[in-house]
Amino acid sequence: DNNISKLKASNACESCNLDRAYLSRRDFSDANLSGAILSYADLRDSKLVRANLKGASLSGTYLSGADLSGADLSGADLSTADLNRAILSGANLLRAKLWKTYLTGIDLGEANLSYADIRGAIFNQAYLSGANFSGANLSGASFYRANLSGANISGANLSGGNLSSANLSGATLCRTIMPNGFTDNSGC
């Protein structure tokens, strides 16, 4: 495919269609894939460190074990993607869509997920220390045994979610709608 060849040759493929592409175990660090269509692509165990995926469509994409440290995923659609065991430390997911995304065992330490739509996502046993979830919609999300220490959860909606055995030490809760529907203002 021409778009795959273009990506391999130049480490860039802005707004191109890579739908269902097999790109597993490759190094695309610092790649420019802004606005690209990568729906249902296989990027398992790939390196996308500091990649520009701003506004990209990654719905249903296989990213388990991928390294997206410092990547810009602002405004990206990651709905129903498989990000189990992926590394997104320091990544920017501002206003990203992660609806019903699989994030078990993920590293999102210090990541920016403010105003993201993360309804129904599964963060079980995830490392989320210092992450910014301010204003995010986390309704129905599961954080079973997740580490949310030092995370900013101000203004977030966790209604109907699961925080069983989650570590919330040092987390900022202000105008935060908790799983039981009550608002927590303890950190205001």
Side-chain angles (χ1 to χ4, degrees), residues 145-169:
R145 296 186 66 197
N147 182 352
L148 286 151
S149 61
N152 181 355
I153 314 171
S154 297
N157 180 357
L158 291 158
S159 62
N162 177 7
L163 288 171
S164 299
S165 302
N167 177 358
L168 291 164
S169 63

Side-chain angles (χ1 to χ4, degrees), residues 17-183:
N17 189 345
L18 294 164
D19 184 62
R20 302 182 191 278
Y22 180 76
L23 302 166
S24 179
R25 295 180 180 86
R26 304 232 174 121
D27 189 348
F28 297 114
S29 294
D30 300 303
N32 185 355
L33 291 159
S34 63
I37 299 168
L38 289 151
S39 300
Y40 299 98
D42 186 346
L43 286 158
R44 285 179 285 194
D45 299 311
S46 289
K47 286 183 75 173
L48 292 146
V49 177
R50 296 176 309 279
N52 180 356
L53 290 154
K54 189 174 186 175
S57 176
L58 295 147
S59 58
T61 300
Y62 302 99
L63 287 156
S64 60
D67 187 350
L68 292 117
S69 300
D72 185 353
L73 291 145
S74 55
D77 182 356
L78 291 136
S79 299
T80 69
D82 178 356
L83 285 152
N84 291 322
R85 300 175 338 277
I87 301 167
L88 282 96
S89 57
N92 182 11
L93 290 115
L94 173 71
R95 299 192 190 285
K97 185 176 180 184
L98 292 109
W99 185 70
K100 292 191 176 182
T101 301
Y102 304 99
L103 303 149
T104 298
I106 195 168
D107 178 352
L108 274 162
E110 304 295 327
N112 180 12
L113 294 111
S114 53
Y115 301 100
D117 183 354
I118 315 174
R119 291 174 288 164
I122 300 168
F123 287 98
N124 296 344
Q125 299 176 348
Y127 179 77
L128 309 166
S129 182
N132 182 0
F133 288 99
S134 61
N137 185 349
L138 297 156
S139 58
S142 177
F143 291 91
Y144 175 73
R145 296 186 66 197
N147 182 352
L148 286 151
S149 61
N152 181 355
I153 314 171
S154 297
N157 180 357
L158 291 158
S159 62
N162 177 7
L163 288 171
S164 299
S165 302
N167 177 358
L168 291 164
S169 63
T172 304
L173 302 168
C174 179
R175 298 177 317 283
T176 305
I177 301 171
M178 299 305 286
N180 61 7
F182 291 107
T183 300

